[in-house]
Amino acid sequence: RRKGAPEVIFGETKETAQIIAMAHGLLAGTGRAIISRLRTDSLEEVKAAFQGYTVRTRDAARAMVIYGPEFVPNNTGGHVGVISAGTSDIPVAEEAAVIVEEMGCRVTCIYDVGVAGLHRLVTPLRDLFADNVDAIIVAAGMDGALPSVVAGLAPVPVIGLPTSIGYGMGGKGVAALLSMLQTCAPGLSVVNIDNGVGAGITAALIANRVAQARERQSQ
Amino acid sequence: RRKGAPEVIFGETKETAQIIAMAHGLLAGTGRAIISRLRTDSLEEVKAAFQGYTVRTRDAARAMVIYGPEFVPNNTGGHVGVISAGTSDIPVAEEAAVIVEEMGCRVTCIYDVGVAGLHRLVTPLRDLFADNVDAIIVAAGMDGALPSVVAGLAPVPVIGLPTSIGYGMGGKGVAALLSMLQTCAPGLSVVNIDNGVGAGITAALIANRVAQARERQSQ
Amino acid sequence: RRKGAPEVIFGETKETAQIIAMAHGLLAGTGRAIISRLRTDSLEEVKAAFQGYTVRTRDAARAMVIYGPEFVPNNTGGHVGVISAGTSDIPVAEEAAVIVEEMGCRVTCIYDVGVAGLHRLVTPLRDLFADNVDAIIVAAGMDGALPSVVAGLAPVPVIGLPTSIGYGMGGKGVAALLSMLQTCAPGLSVVNIDNGVGAGITAALIANRVAQARERQSQ
Amino acid sequence: RRKGAPEVIFGETKETAQIIAMAHGLLAGTGRAIISRLRTDSLEEVKAAFQGYTVRTRDAARAMVIYGPEFVPNNTGGHVGVISAGTSDIPVAEEAAVIVEEMGCRVTCIYDVGVAGLHRLVTPLRDLFADNVDAIIVAAGMDGALPSVVAGLAPVPVIGLPTSIGYGMGGKGVAALLSMLQTCAPGLSVVNIDNGVGAGITAALIANRVAQARERQSQ
Amino acid sequence: RRKGAPEVIFGETKETAQIIAMAHGLLAGTGRAIISRLRTDSLEEVKAAFQGYTVRTRDAARAMVIYGPEFVPNNTGGHVGVISAGTSDIPVAEEAAVIVEEMGCRVTCIYDVGVAGLHRLVTPLRDLFADNVDAIIVAAGMDGALPSVVAGLAPVPVIGLPTSIGYGMGGKGVAALLSMLQTCAPGLSVVNIDNGVGAGITAALIANRVAQARERQSQ
Amino acid sequence: RRKGAPEVIFGETKETAQIIAMAHGLLAGTGRAIISRLRTDSLEEVKAAFQGYTVRTRDAARAMVIYGPEFVPNNTGGHVGVISAGTSDIPVAEEAAVIVEEMGCRVTCIYDVGVAGLHRLVTPLRDLFADNVDAIIVAAGMDGALPSVVAGLAPVPVIGLPTSIGYGMGGKGVAALLSMLQTCAPGLSVVNIDNGVGAGITAALIANRVAQARERQSQ
Amino acid sequence: RRKGAPEVIFGETKETAQIIAMAHGLLAGTGRAIISRLRTDSLEEVKAAFQGYTVRTRDAARAMVIYGPEFVPNNTGGHVGVISAGTSDIPVAEEAAVIVEEMGCRVTCIYDVGVAGLHRLVTPLRDLFADNVDAIIVAAGMDGALPSVVAGLAPVPVIGLPTSIGYGMGGKGVAALLSMLQTCAPGLSVVNIDNGVGAGITAALIANRVAQARERQSQ
Amino acid sequence: RRKGAPEVIFGETKETAQIIAMAHGLLAGTGRAIISRLRTDSLEEVKAAFQGYTVRTRDAARAMVIYGPEFVPNNTGGHVGVISAGTSDIPVAEEAAVIVEEMGCRVTCIYDVGVAGLHRLVTPLRDLFADNVDAIIVAAGMDGALPSVVAGLAPVPVIGLPTSIGYGMGGKGVAALLSMLQTCAPGLSVVNIDNGVGAGITAALIANRVAQARERQSQ
Ligand SMILES: Nc1ncnc2c1ncn2[C@@H]1O[C@H](COP(=O)(O)O)[C@@H](O)[C@H]1O
Ligand SMILES: Nc1ncnc2c1ncn2[C@@H]1O[C@H](COP(=O)(O)O)[C@@H](O)[C@H]1O
Ligand SMILES: Nc1ncnc2c1ncn2[C@@H]1O[C@H](COP(=O)(O)O)[C@@H](O)[C@H]1O
Ligand SMILES: Nc1ncnc2c1ncn2[C@@H]1O[C@H](COP(=O)(O)O)[C@@H](O)[C@H]1O
Ligand SMILES: [Mg+2]
Ligand SMILES: [Mg+2]
Ligand SMILES: [Mg+2]
Ligand SMILES: [Mg+2]
Ligand SMILES: [Mg+2]
Ligand SMILES: [Mg+2]
Ligand SMILES: [Mg+2]
Ligand SMILES: [Mg+2]
């Protein structure tokens, strides 16, 4: 695919049989199938259908990857940071991390460092900059304040990833998304609520382009 | 007034003549008239109508106070902090400050310390705590992130005061208000967008009640 | 915690195992764990996991408190009123009451006194003022009119706590929240729909600061 | 007109010439023309165009009535109360009052008795019931709480008339309308924000039907 | 109850035990208990708890009435029409009809006569007028056009009762409610989506007041 | 243009000079320039710039057409009806009519026949069907009920054209658009609020395709 | 039915027994019953109730057709294209296709050709134009961009059919519908989210009118 | 500034005097002042205040840059594409272009290539890829479809920049923003409506990081 981004099967609104068929298609074509937002009732059936294959999921992530026998992972040299404000934001953050890894980047995760405990953020963020990170994804629900704080500090592009955590007015990620769109901090762009896949692709596209330029240099 | 809060004339939707009449009524009754959100076209006319009186406004505040000759300001001993995220938030912050002062409290203002420049916040905030502040008002528009950050640090109640600064989706203070309602930080309550009067009354009611308890102690 | 507010585990979006682990963490650190919005399917499992401990819930409240063997409750001398408009608002009001108590305050509850039966409100409200209440929480859904009525009468700060009761347009607490934000009465600030924890922390922070000033006096 | 309600020209979105032409049409047909929401720039021109006629407006009302030389007002014996929460709600309340009068009813107005000063409401409301009122219109902006309070007390149908007073979230009458739709009190129906004409017609239709039944009795 | 409207237990957000207790309370006080929006899981339990009593429901209505042994229904002589646009609107229309009947009025129902089949409306509507109807309730979901059509024809007050029928944008009754609020027809006031109880009380209050005037006449 | 629809210059957000330049471009290319939503401040300047040309506008329509000297209007034989609910909807209806005519169709206009006066609709609508109309545009603001009524009667496709007439909740055409989207009547599709150009193009595309088939027949 | 469109039973909000009764009614009257949006729990019961009849459903479509023994399908000669952006949009697209077929038109379906893979669209679209299509329905969720792209290319009317696919802000078809309403392309009108029935009727009304004109020609 | 992005003065909500003072501050500090969204009434006054300085604006852009005598522009070697859908989107696109240039990148602009004329897009887009573009900004109002189309084709990160062009439902950029958030295409992130500054900073941060890696390579 010219775009440099893998095809991802959106599991939520599809029949299990349809998902399995599409995964077989991708495996035949590219040696790998990535499925996001797999419903719990599809999970086991899909796993069963691919018993001979290597199947991996990241922790709480709502994403699954199936590798064909000949699949060779590539390593681009790109580096992406994934930060979450709360523990409830982790599944969406992990979805982004899966995509970033499948696009060949290294991922560093820093979780549960929201604005109610900003002191926990300072040191790992400094380390991330020192480790030459190319782009940072910040997942946050509720007030969505963390991406603005990180974008105010980071010398690289930040992708705001609102999560559907929070209740009442502005709940389900709405306040988080709006607050990110209204940010006072420079260099923050956003994707939709819970769109870990979209955040991952954008961050990896950035990191891979930088890595490619670095690569050429070292040749 | 048993409530402990002064009557405030809401100028925005009233005829100038109506405002002047109501101000005369308050002066006759309490020796003082406070007018908020005075339209520019009313301002000079109202001033002209009270030439013999002491009239004051605070800086950019959209509020005016007229004192009768016998008015004696009281000093309760309460202390309120008023913080603003940006320079555009100052008029609303000042409206709150006027009300707090007219309710007899001391006010400390810290302006233009939003999340894009958090380092400017740390020292004045520490000083405020050391100076025994009773309640803090935080005015912020756009992302509205600052009140959450302050409430995560302050040992006193914080009143979030969203301002109608910001454009596009979530603009005019909507994202700021929603983000404050969704706060992850403890001890933050809010008033409506641009409602400096409401924030000021709530903060002063808190400070005055604490001050009253302190007073009794020192007697 | 410097803030003077306890850490509260938000149960709704967490796995039961995760909640139990976090509760053990808090018990080890502070001798007490407070959990809010525990899902029904987690309730029994969590109780079972802490069989040797003292576990309490208030009536219909969606909050649970687990005490370690050495926990010594403190009593600050603060006094908070908790009022509800209807019987359906009680669970959220009780969530606020639990937090207020755990922060060391005395709580007086007055329930089912909404605007369709205002005469039931007058006497208990007068008693509350006479009993030196420091702050009042008013929980109301549907029209959300009661907090404005109480704030028009009370000489102390009032915290409006909208509840998700009501259907149709403006239902699920939206009209209640908006009506409180638009209040004509002085001294009313609000928290988000169903946020009993937030209302409780704000009210207790106020009451405890007043109580602390009173304390010093009597020494 | 079989409906029992007069035709009313909606002035806001019409050219002045168009309004004058339509008014001439109504005068020719029924001997009277009622125009609502006349823009300021049309007002004088319309007045000038009907110099030989009797033209009346009620106080601050945004409505004008032009009578032909032969018009004979009728008096149905119906009685309608018109209450407003604040002084800013008066123009809309007066628009309703004009319509009620033009439909032949007696009107009793009680203004500026909102929830922040409920004690001012009690006596005039009791007098209204004693004076055999048939229906009550309650105009309120901002929190829109007053119609619910009145409907909780009144033994007759109440029509909630939200006004576009108020700023910030839920402003321009939105919170007022939603709060009325969510009322806990029995017997409250509503019309749209600022729709004094609609409220007036509904109240007068009720009062006139009752009056008609009373009439027959006394014959 | 001075208001002339019965107390109604709102079943939807209450525990079954709580509903039964409240019903016993009302039976003891007034000889009758009305419950609306009873959840399916409560229905049988409530019925079982009142086996010795007369229990009635109207057709598809989401309302139940329990009569004590000594309850004597009254008959006021008022007459209310209840019209529905579609068959899906009938349960809400029936809820209104139950309330109207319990308030002592006669009810005439005309169902499934929406704007896609207006010809079916003409004759029954003419009969309704001839039969001296005092007020008309029109239940409609989706486009909500029928109440405007009826109000354009009827010489009595019309109460628009939007129902939560319809999907997509403006679905769940939102378009229906907004369209009724924006009506071009005179004499239409509205209640909230699915609020059959509210529509019933308003219509019966009107009809009973007219009937009372008629009564006095015939004495 | 392969599409069969003329290019239309959207005047509202363009500088006058830019409009004139674009009109010259279209005149050079196709011999005709159509401009919609021309701001009042541009109108005279644009007219002046094309003094040697034939310029026409339809009545109140917010659209202008400029013909080059060699432009030959074509006549397709298509027939489109344009109906408006109120007099305030006429400018938008006329904008649609201009486009329909410029696309070579005959237009029949029926204005001011809204649901509050449905009897005025019956005869002209019957005549329209008899006169072999191919498609009908119905412009309506406020409640937007008329398009549903017409679509319930007409044997041809109906295009709902909501107009920005109406105030309060659901005002500026929102209720009208939603009500049309929720229609119970068959064969109604819609365009956006005030989009007379879009309605005109769709109706003319339909009529011209039918006319073309008719043409072939008569050859 | 004079309108030329079949009656369709809306299954979603109806009891199964009610659906069966209504289907019997339609079979008796017209020899055919069409049911849309049948809930899964009704499906088997309805099938069982019509075992002697021919019952058909199209693929994933949420619509069922029951034919009486004497039903003779007609063939009008109209031709409608049905295009879907993604695979998740197919059930709604198929609902439209069923209706189009039942109204006697030929249907050509082109699925899964959304804007992320526009190259897949070009050839089948060109074939569709060559095959003399009369109207095109384009079903799309998420960004809803495809209908605008098709309307920019097609010489016939296009009906935008937004589907409730998509999550986060603008999800459930809202962004798709709004984007279609805001289209820059000429000749696109829309129906509500998931309203396959409405799109099908409009497209078939267009195609059948064109076909009828063609027919007459060949006679 | 460590972030790599210049400070930008937000002109819209500031007094002219305040803007001039802030610009002097930036000139003293960094040798350059950038002002965005300058109100027309401030423009001439600001220009007059900096007569000795080099002042530039890009075409229709709502941004102004003032250079001190010693300012040396840098050239990073980054390359950013800026595409607009319509001519009305150009001012916002140009605001982004100004920022990109001030951050040292080369800019290539491609304007007026929206989905109603996609054929105009193909060649310049291919040239852009060939010319080694690092990131692309796509400004679009109304349907907002173009960014999805470009992101479906481009091998680099795309930043969607919705503009406030469009009227009716979803107007003022709302549909455009939502459609971009719901994109089906990979690698598209967004900023708020009309936020050319934010889009420019993000794109330039990406391009400069890539350029920096390239630089090192060629050393
Ligand atoms: N019911 C609640 N509503 C609002 N905030 C809560 C609630 N329960 C806990 N919190 C706060 O949310 C944060 C806990 O988030 P978490 O780390 O995800 O458990 C803490 O700051 C709590 O004080
Ligand atoms: N379905 C209903 N819709 C609206 N109001 C209702 C409904 N059922 C009961 N009510 C009103 O709600 C109040 C009862 O609330 P509760 O005391 O919570 O049962 C009374 O004022 C009733 O008249
Ligand atoms: N009033 C209008 N409403 C909707 N679309 C319009 C209108 N006037 C022109 N257009 C369309 O908008 C596009 C012109 O945009 P522009 O190039 O900015 O003038 C063309 O595709 C026109 O067909
Ligand atoms: N047009 C704009 N849109 C969004 N942010 C802006 C804009 N112009 C300036 N800013 C940012 O807003 C902040 C300046 O705010 P202020 O101090 O009020 O001038 C800085 O962080 C700027 O980078
Ligand atoms: Mg957060
Ligand atoms: Mg801020
Ligand atoms: Mg209440
Ligand atoms: Mg009020
Ligand atoms: Mg209907
Ligand atoms: Mg209309
Ligand atoms: Mg799509
Ligand atoms: Mg566009």
Side-chain angles (χ1 to χ4, degrees), chain B residues 1-3 5 129 132-134 151 153-157 177 181-182 186-192 201-202 205-206 209-210 213-214 216-217, chain C residues 1-3 5 129 132-134 151 153-157 177 181-182 186-192 201-202 205-206 209-210 213-214 216-217:
Chain B
R1 181 169 185 151
R2 156 140 139 287
K3 177 78 206 195
F129 300 159
N132 210 15
V133 74
D134 296 310
L153 300 170
V156 296
L177 170 53
L181 285 170
Q182 289 287 336
L188 178 65
S189 64
V190 306
V191 295
N192 208 342
I201 291 176
T202 289
L205 279 180
I206 296 171
R209 190 164 179 87
V210 178
R214 267 197 299 258
R216 289 212 196 91
Q217 152 198 17
Chain C
R1 184 163 183 167
R2 155 142 137 288
K3 176 78 204 199
F129 300 161
N132 211 15
V133 74
D134 295 311
L153 301 169
V156 297
L177 171 53
L181 285 170
Q182 288 286 337
L188 177 66
S189 64
V190 306
V191 295
N192 207 342
I201 291 177
T202 289
L205 278 181
I206 296 171
R209 190 164 179 86
V210 179
R214 268 197 299 257
R216 290 211 196 91
Q217 152 198 15

Side-chain angles (χ1 to χ4, degrees), chain H:
Chain H
R1 181 164 182 165
R2 155 140 138 289
K3 176 78 207 196
E7 190 92 27
V8 178
I9 302 167
F10 182 68
E12 199 168 80
T13 52
K14 297 209 174 64
E15 305 289 316
T16 308
Q18 208 178 356
I19 293 169
I20 293 170
M22 292 177 80
H24 275 302
L26 285 180
L27 278 162
T30 67
R32 178 184 59 185
I34 311 178
I35 310 162
S36 76
R37 299 175 76 97
L38 206 54
R39 289 190 314 278
T40 326
D41 59 287
S42 298
L43 193 73
E44 288 312 314
E45 261 183 88
V46 173
K47 264 190 186 159
F50 292 95
Q51 266 181 330
Y53 295 73
T54 307
V55 173
R56 82 163 186 122
T57 56
R58 250 186 90 105
D59 203 31
R62 290 175 308 173
M64 175 190 285
V65 191
I66 306 165
Y67 303 100
E70 261 127 76
F71 187 78
V72 183
N74 78 324
N75 194 318
T76 63
H79 183 196
V80 171
V82 178
I83 299 179
S84 95
T87 54
S88 305
D89 306 320
I90 294 178
V92 174
E94 288 283 287
E95 186 182 277
V98 166
I99 297 295
V100 170
E101 286 183 348
E102 294 301 320
M103 286 178 69
C105 296
R106 183 159 57 99
V107 173
T108 303
C109 295
I110 310 174
Y111 290 159
D112 199 13
V113 291
V115 288
L118 277 183
H119 50 281
R120 289 199 299 265
L121 172 68
V122 179
T123 312
L125 198 59
R126 196 173 303 151
D127 292 352
L128 203 59
F129 300 161
D131 196 9
N132 209 14
V133 75
D134 296 311
I136 300 175
I137 294 166
V138 187
M142 297 180 75
D143 53 42
L146 188 64
S148 287
V149 171
V150 172
L153 300 169
V156 297
V158 176
I159 293 110
L161 171 52
T163 69
S164 58
I165 301 300
Y167 59 91
M169 192 165 270
K172 304 205 168 148
V174 169
L177 170 54
L178 294 180
S179 185
M180 295 178 201
L181 285 170
Q182 289 286 336
T183 187
C184 303
L188 178 65
S189 64
V190 306
V191 295
N192 208 343
I193 298 164
D194 285 343
N195 190 358
V197 170
I201 291 177
T202 289
L205 279 180
I206 295 171
N208 285 346
R209 191 164 178 87
V210 179
Q212 199 181 21
R214 267 197 299 258
E215 286 290 283
R216 290 212 196 91
Q217 151 199 14
S218 54
Q219 279 156 8

Side-chain angles (χ1 to χ4, degrees), chain A:
Chain A
R1 181 167 183 159
R2 159 141 136 286
K3 176 80 205 198
E7 190 94 25
V8 178
I9 302 168
F10 182 70
E12 200 167 80
T13 52
K14 297 212 174 62
E15 305 289 315
T16 307
Q18 207 178 359
I19 294 168
I20 293 169
M22 292 177 81
H24 275 301
L26 285 180
L27 279 161
T30 67
R32 179 185 58 185
I34 311 178
I35 310 162
S36 76
R37 301 176 75 98
L38 207 52
R39 290 190 313 278
T40 326
D41 60 287
S42 299
L43 192 73
E44 288 312 314
E45 261 183 87
V46 173
K47 265 192 183 156
F50 292 95
Q51 266 180 332
Y53 295 74
T54 307
V55 173
R56 81 166 189 120
T57 55
R58 251 187 91 104
D59 204 32
R62 292 174 306 174
M64 174 190 286
V65 191
I66 306 165
Y67 302 99
E70 260 127 75
F71 187 80
V72 184
N74 78 327
N75 194 317
T76 62
H79 183 196
V80 171
V82 178
I83 299 179
S84 95
T87 53
S88 305
D89 305 320
I90 294 178
V92 174
E94 288 283 287
E95 185 181 278
V98 166
I99 297 295
V100 170
E101 286 183 347
E102 294 300 321
M103 285 178 71
C105 297
R106 181 158 59 99
V107 174
T108 302
C109 296
I110 309 173
Y111 289 159
D112 199 14
V113 292
V115 288
L118 277 184
H119 51 281
R120 289 199 301 265
L121 173 67
V122 178
T123 311
L125 198 58
R126 196 173 305 152
D127 293 352
L128 203 59
F129 299 160
D131 196 7
N132 210 16
V133 74
D134 295 311
I136 300 175
I137 294 166
V138 186
M142 297 181 75
D143 54 41
L146 189 63
S148 287
V149 171
V150 173
L153 301 169
V156 296
V158 175
I159 294 110
L161 172 52
T163 69
S164 58
I165 300 301
Y167 59 91
M169 191 163 271
K172 304 205 169 151
V174 169
L177 170 53
L178 293 181
S179 184
M180 294 178 202
L181 285 171
Q182 288 287 336
T183 188
C184 302
L188 177 66
S189 65
V190 307
V191 295
N192 208 341
I193 298 165
D194 285 344
N195 190 359
V197 170
I201 291 177
T202 289
L205 278 181
I206 296 171
N208 285 347
R209 190 164 179 87
V210 178
Q212 198 181 22
R214 268 197 299 257
E215 287 289 284
R216 289 213 195 91
Q217 152 197 18
S218 53
Q219 278 156 10

